């Protein structure tokens, strides 16, 4: 019989990791079954639960426990359209919190299945990317179609989906069924984009598991591993992915296919929630009619600044998971 035991753990930032030595915690103090290794050293969490990724390691106490809680709330709490603490949502948006799209650090069931497209309760649990067929963007829209908006503001559009079920057969004769989606966008806030001019891709947001570990690694260690080139024992080879953000060239570590340098972009505060911050001070719909609509309703956002310590605090709560298989 083959079973699986999920080991989930919380990897804190470099500062917090340094506290392990100060507290006298060592991996030698943890009993490990023969043939296995701890996936996070002293920070490994042996919790088999739906909240495993939202649970700090046993050694996290005091100031680090407070930092974890604050960062976890920053991730999970629903944002409002006000300008105070916990506000900044909109005027248009795709989601109202990080945790709403990634329930328990995993993935939330999208309204594609439950409502056939954009959600009716202010959230859709998906991202709708739109471009021209040649990859360029439309003048009155960005890369993401914001299908939700605060009160008094019109969303950029609404997504509808219809599924066509198709049956296939495995080589051994077993049948299986796939659903082919057909997407349609309606209720465009500006000019209607013709289907023949539109390229649309709908994605379920990435899980935020493993980001903290990537942020804690020394870039030089990653570059040293890449310098070895090929790893025939694993059947892989690769190279470092260097990117340029804000005019600075650095190692890509975060987001889809390591296209960003850190978690300030992965969070999607600006892109998905419309929350301005010190890195992206402009509204996501800057120059669009929703700016005036939001101002008329009293909800126009000012630059809602996140000081650097908030971003560092978030990095400290990112989760990493590992799985081990036990043969019985």
């Amino acid at each position: 019989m083959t079973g699986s035991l999920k080991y989930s753990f919380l990897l804190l930032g470099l500062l917090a990791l340094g506290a392990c030595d100060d507290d006298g915690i060592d991996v030698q103090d943890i009993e490990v079954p023969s043939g296995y290794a701890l996936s996070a050293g002293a920070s490994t969490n042996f919790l088999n639960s739906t909240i495993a990724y939202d649970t700090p390691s046993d050694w996290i106490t005091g100031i680090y426990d407070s930092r974890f809680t604050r960062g976890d709330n920053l991730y999970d709490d629903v944002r409002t359209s006000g300008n105070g603490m916990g506000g900044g949502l909109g005027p248009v948006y795709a989601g109202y919190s990080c945790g709403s799209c990634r329930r328990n650090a995993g993935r939330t069931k999208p309204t594609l299945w439950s409502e056939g497209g954009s959600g009716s309760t202010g959230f859709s649990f998906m991202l709708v990317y739109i471009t021209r067929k040649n990859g360029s963007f439309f003048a009155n829209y960005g890369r993401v179609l914001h299908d939700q908006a605060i009160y008094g503001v019109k969303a950029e559009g609404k997504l509808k989906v219809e599924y066509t079920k198709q049956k296939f057969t495995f080589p051994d004769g077993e049948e299986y069924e796939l659903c082919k989606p057909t997407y349609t966008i309606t209720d465009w806030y500006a000019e209607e984009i013709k289907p023949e001019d539109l390229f649309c891709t709908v994605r379920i947001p990435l899980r935020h598991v493993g980001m903290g570990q990537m942020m804690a690694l020394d870039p030089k260690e990653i570059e040293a591993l890449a310098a070895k080139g090929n790893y025939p024992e694993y059947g892989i080879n690769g190279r470092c992915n260097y990117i340029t953000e804000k005019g600075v060239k650095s190692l890509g570590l975060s987001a889809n296919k390591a296209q960003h340098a850190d978690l300030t972009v992965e969070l999607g505060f600006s892109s998905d929630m419309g929350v301005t911050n010190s890195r992206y001070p402009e509204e996501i719909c800057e120059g669009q009619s929703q700016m005036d609509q939001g101002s008329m309703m009293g909800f126009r956002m000012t630059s809602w600044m996140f000081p650097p310590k908030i971003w560092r605090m978030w990095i400290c709560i990112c989760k990493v998971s590992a799985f081990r298989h036990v043969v019985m």
Side-chain angles (χ1 to χ4, degrees):
M1 178 184 295
T2 301
S4 65
L5 175 64
K6 178 186 293 185
Y7 281 0
S8 67
F9 62 90
L10 177 68
L11 183 63
L12 299 189
L14 292 175
L15 180 61
L17 285 174
C20 291
D21 296 333
D22 296 338
D23 292 345
I25 298 176
D26 191 270
V27 294
Q28 302 299 325
D29 299 329
I30 304 176
E31 184 178 350
V32 182
S34 177
Y36 298 96
L38 295 174
S39 55
S43 293
T44 304
N45 190 333
F46 300 89
L47 181 63
N48 188 7
S49 167
T50 57
I51 62 170
Y53 299 118
D54 284 328
T55 303
S57 301
D58 292 340
W59 63 270
I60 305 302
T61 60
I63 186 174
Y64 298 118
D65 186 59
S66 297
R67 179 176 291 181
F68 168 83
T69 301
R70 292 169 60 194
D72 205 33
N73 290 339
L74 176 67
Y75 187 85
D76 288 331
D77 288 354
V78 174
R79 310 209 73 79
T80 68
S81 58
N83 285 328
M85 182 63 69
L89 181 69
V92 294
Y93 62 93
Y96 46 65
S97 76
C98 297
S100 295
C101 243
R102 303 167 181 87
R103 184 176 178 85
N104 293 328
R107 289 190 175 101
T108 304
K109 181 179 179 180
T111 53
L112 290 170
W113 293 103
S114 59
E115 298 192 43
S118 294
S120 60
T121 58
F123 199 57
S124 302
F125 308 104
M126 62 192 175
L127 295 175
V128 184
Y129 291 84
I130 58 172
T131 64
R132 299 181 186 275
K133 292 293 179 65
N134 63 4
S136 62
F137 297 111
F138 294 98
N140 294 308
Y141 301 89
R143 70 185 183 104
V144 174
L145 181 76
H146 299 92
D147 62 345
Q148 304 293 338
I150 63 176
Y151 179 76
V153 177
K154 186 175 182 179
E156 293 180 338
K158 295 293 182 179
L159 182 77
K160 292 184 178 180
V161 60
E162 292 183 354
Y163 294 100
T164 301
K165 295 183 178 181
Q166 298 176 307
K167 290 186 177 182
F168 301 89
T169 304
F170 288 111
D172 63 0
E174 181 183 357
E175 290 188 349
Y176 64 94
E177 189 175 71
L178 297 178
C179 292
K180 178 182 178 181
T182 299
Y183 300 112
T184 304
I185 298 178
T186 63
D187 302 321
W188 297 96
Y189 92 96
E191 79 281 358
E192 182 175 343
I193 300 175
K194 297 180 181 179
E196 57 268 26
D197 298 330
L198 176 67
F199 176 79
C200 172
T201 175
V202 180
R203 306 176 188 178
I204 305 303
L206 296 171
R207 298 175 64 200
H208 280 161
V209 175
M211 297 294 98
Q213 184 180 40
M214 293 303 297
M215 294 300 101
L217 291 175
D218 186 344
K220 293 182 179 179
E221 181 180 355
I222 299 176
E223 292 172 331
L225 289 172
K228 291 177 58 177
N230 298 326
Y231 292 82
E233 64 270 31
Y234 300 112
I236 61 174
N237 62 75
R239 58 183 175 80
C240 289
N241 181 46
Y242 291 97
I243 54 96
T244 300
E245 285 185 336
K246 297 294 182 179
V248 178
K249 182 179 179 180
S250 59
L251 190 64
L253 297 174
S254 179
N256 189 29
K257 298 184 178 180
Q259 290 301 304
H260 296 295
D262 54 49
L263 297 175
T264 62
V265 177
E266 175 63 36
L267 274 173
F269 266 83
S270 173
S271 176
D272 302 342
M273 288 181 271
V275 179
T276 56
N277 54 70
S278 57
R279 187 166 185 172
Y280 297 99
E282 291 187 352
E283 296 292 351
I284 194 64
C285 58
E286 190 75 35
Q288 298 179 190
S289 61
Q290 288 94 339
M291 291 294 294
D292 294 329
Q293 294 170 356
S295 178
M296 291 172 60
M297 297 307 300
F299 292 125
R300 180 167 181 169
M301 303 299 115
T302 58
S303 293
W304 203 82
M305 311 299 279
F306 283 98
K309 67 178 181 180
I310 296 294
W311 294 124
R312 291 197 298 270
M313 178 174 64
W314 163 242
I315 291 174
C316 287
I317 70 159
C318 291
K319 299 94 178 174
V320 189
S321 70
F323 297 84
R324 76 168 187 175
H325 297 275
V326 183
V327 180
M328 301 179 62

